[in-house]
Amino acid sequence: MKFAFAHPGDIPHVKQLLAECTLPCEDITPAHLRHFLVVRHQSNLVGVIGLELLGSVALLRSLAVQIDFRRQRIASQLTTQAEAYARSHKVRSLYLLTTTAEDFFTKQGYRTMDRNAVPVVVRETTEFRSICPSIAKCLVKYLTATER
C-alpha cells in the first residue's frame, strides 16, 4: 500500500470510489485534490480522504475505502495522516458530516456537536449547504489542547 497526495489526474478514480461508497462527489474539482490523500494498491486507487482547509478550521470529507480493502486499518491511517496534514497547516479544529460513519469517527476521537454551532466558514461549504442531508451527524475533533 502506498499513501500519497492525490493529483489532478486522480479525479475520475476518486469520484468513482466515492460513488461506489455512496458518498457525494459532485462538487469535487481538481483544485480540491490538492488536499486529498489517496492509497494505492499496485496502481489501483483503493482509499481516499480529503480536507477543505479554511484557515484555522477545516472540513474533513470524502473518506472512502474500496470494499475489498476494508478491515485493514486503511481508514484509520488515512484519518491520522489527514489530521497530521491539517496540523501542519495550523488547523485547530476538524469538522465533518456523516450519515454512516459516526461510530468510526467517535473511536478516532471525534465528538458530536450541533450543526448550527459549526463556524460559519465551514457551514458555507457546498457540503454543508447542500450536499449532505440535514440528518447527517456533525462531528468535531480539536487538534490543539487550547481548543478543547
Side-chain angles (χ1 to χ4, degrees), residues 4-133:
F5 284 98
H7 53 78
D10 287 328
I11 201 157
H13 307 289
V14 167
K15 285 187 170 194
Q16 179 181 350
L17 178 57
L18 293 174
E20 287 171 5
C21 295
T22 63
L23 291 174
C25 61
E26 56 270 21
D27 68 320
I28 295 175
T29 67
H32 281 104
L33 295 188
R34 184 172 158 212
H35 304 294
F36 274 51
L37 295 161
V38 296
V39 179
R40 298 182 203 292
H41 176 69
Q42 297 168 353
S43 62
N44 299 319
L45 192 139
V46 300
V48 64
I49 194 168
L51 288 171
E52 288 188 39
L53 301 178
L54 306 162
S56 65
V57 298
L59 176 66
L60 183 73
R61 60 170 298 167
S62 306
L63 173 59
V65 177
Q66 191 179 66
I67 197 161
D68 295 341
F69 290 86
R70 293 184 184 165
R71 307 258 182 244
Q72 298 179 33
R73 300 200 36 83
I74 293 170
S76 295
Q77 291 175 57
L78 280 167
T79 302
T80 299
Q81 289 190 23
E83 291 169 2
Y85 180 71
R87 281 185 189 96
S88 76
H89 281 81
K90 308 293 188 235
V91 169
R92 297 182 346 211
S93 310
L94 286 176
Y95 298 87
L96 65 91
L97 293 171
T98 184
T99 57
T100 60
E102 182 179 3
D103 289 342
F104 168 81
F105 284 109
T106 300
K107 290 175 185 169
Q108 304 299 313
Y110 290 77
R111 63 181 195 216
T112 58
M113 74 176 301
D114 184 322
R115 190 172 174 149
N116 294 318
V118 172
V120 172
V121 68
V122 177
R123 289 193 322 246
E124 289 176 348
T125 64
T126 303
E127 184 164 328
F128 260 77
R129 277 194 336 255
S130 60
I131 293 179
C132 281

